[in-house]
Amino acid sequence: MSADAVVPGGDDDRVVRGHEALEDKDFKTAKTQFDEALTSDFSNIHARLGLCQALVGLDELKDAEKTFEAAASLEPGPGFAKAFNRLGISLRQMKTFALSLQAFSRASDINSGDHVIYYNMSLVHIVQFQLDEAAGLFEKALEIKPDFIEAKNALEKLPIWKNVLSENEK
């Protein structure tokens, strides 16, 4: 991590160390750091969502789901939508698709006007070959920001992807 990088929850050193451990895929250390941060601030969204990601990395999915539910139940504050969006991206990369979609859904509940959230959510559907769901989300992103080129390009490619999928199913 560069010295100039902004770390979510940067006002708590344990959260910063937890995110650094996540980057290094040291999920056990990350879990410890986030747990410690939560002992002094139970509502620290960055610690809570970081803990969720660490638990997924440790394959403790039930605990990750409980941690996510606790985070989702918090009254949204500044930066919550971005924090849930970041978690959704991380969980998608970790191939934890159901929880990733929940994170994006929570982000969109908090900020329904963010086109990037819908785009990111559509990518989860793409990797699961749920192309109709992805199309609807690309369209939603374009409703919000009509010149969103990434969504426009993906929507144009969907018929090609559908053809490839149908050919592979034969």
PDB file of all heavy atoms in Angstrom, residues 70 100 102 136 160:
ATOM      1  N   ALA A  70     -25.077  -7.664  10.833  1.00  0.00           N
ATOM      2  CA  ALA A  70     -24.895  -6.654  11.873  1.00  0.00           C
ATOM      3  C   ALA A  70     -24.505  -5.316  11.251  1.00  0.00           C
ATOM      4  O   ALA A  70     -25.009  -4.257  11.653  1.00  0.00           O
ATOM      5  CB  ALA A  70     -23.843  -7.104  12.878  1.00  0.00           C
ATOM      6  N   SER A 100     -21.754 -10.980  -1.922  1.00  0.00           N
ATOM      7  CA  SER A 100     -21.371  -9.827  -2.724  1.00  0.00           C
ATOM      8  C   SER A 100     -22.619  -9.075  -3.188  1.00  0.00           C
ATOM      9  O   SER A 100     -22.694  -7.843  -3.085  1.00  0.00           O
ATOM     10  CB  SER A 100     -20.545 -10.276  -3.937  1.00  0.00           C
ATOM     11  OG  SER A 100     -20.268  -9.189  -4.790  1.00  0.00           O
ATOM     12  N   GLN A 102     -25.506  -9.094  -1.781  1.00  0.00           N
ATOM     13  CA  GLN A 102     -26.120  -8.462  -0.605  1.00  0.00           C
ATOM     14  C   GLN A 102     -25.424  -7.145  -0.276  1.00  0.00           C
ATOM     15  O   GLN A 102     -26.077  -6.161   0.081  1.00  0.00           O
ATOM     16  CB  GLN A 102     -26.059  -9.398   0.600  1.00  0.00           C
ATOM     17  CG  GLN A 102     -26.998 -10.574   0.514  1.00  0.00           C
ATOM     18  CD  GLN A 102     -26.891 -11.464   1.741  1.00  0.00           C
ATOM     19  OE1 GLN A 102     -26.648 -11.002   2.849  1.00  0.00           O
ATOM     20  NE2 GLN A 102     -27.063 -12.769   1.537  1.00  0.00           N
ATOM     21  N   GLY A 136     -30.532  -5.855 -16.891  1.00  0.00           N
ATOM     22  CA  GLY A 136     -31.375  -4.923 -16.145  1.00  0.00           C
ATOM     23  C   GLY A 136     -30.563  -3.956 -15.302  1.00  0.00           C
ATOM     24  O   GLY A 136     -30.905  -2.771 -15.181  1.00  0.00           O
ATOM     25  N   ILE A 160     -24.005 -11.074 -27.747  1.00  0.00           N
ATOM     26  CA  ILE A 160     -22.906 -11.951 -28.167  1.00  0.00           C
ATOM     27  C   ILE A 160     -22.653 -13.002 -27.092  1.00  0.00           C
ATOM     28  O   ILE A 160     -22.507 -14.192 -27.383  1.00  0.00           O
ATOM     29  CB  ILE A 160     -21.633 -11.127 -28.451  1.00  0.00           C
ATOM     30  CG1 ILE A 160     -21.870 -10.161 -29.615  1.00  0.00           C
ATOM     31  CG2 ILE A 160     -20.434 -12.030 -28.721  1.00  0.00           C
ATOM     32  CD1 ILE A 160     -20.809  -9.088 -29.770  1.00  0.00           C
TER      33      ILE A 160
END
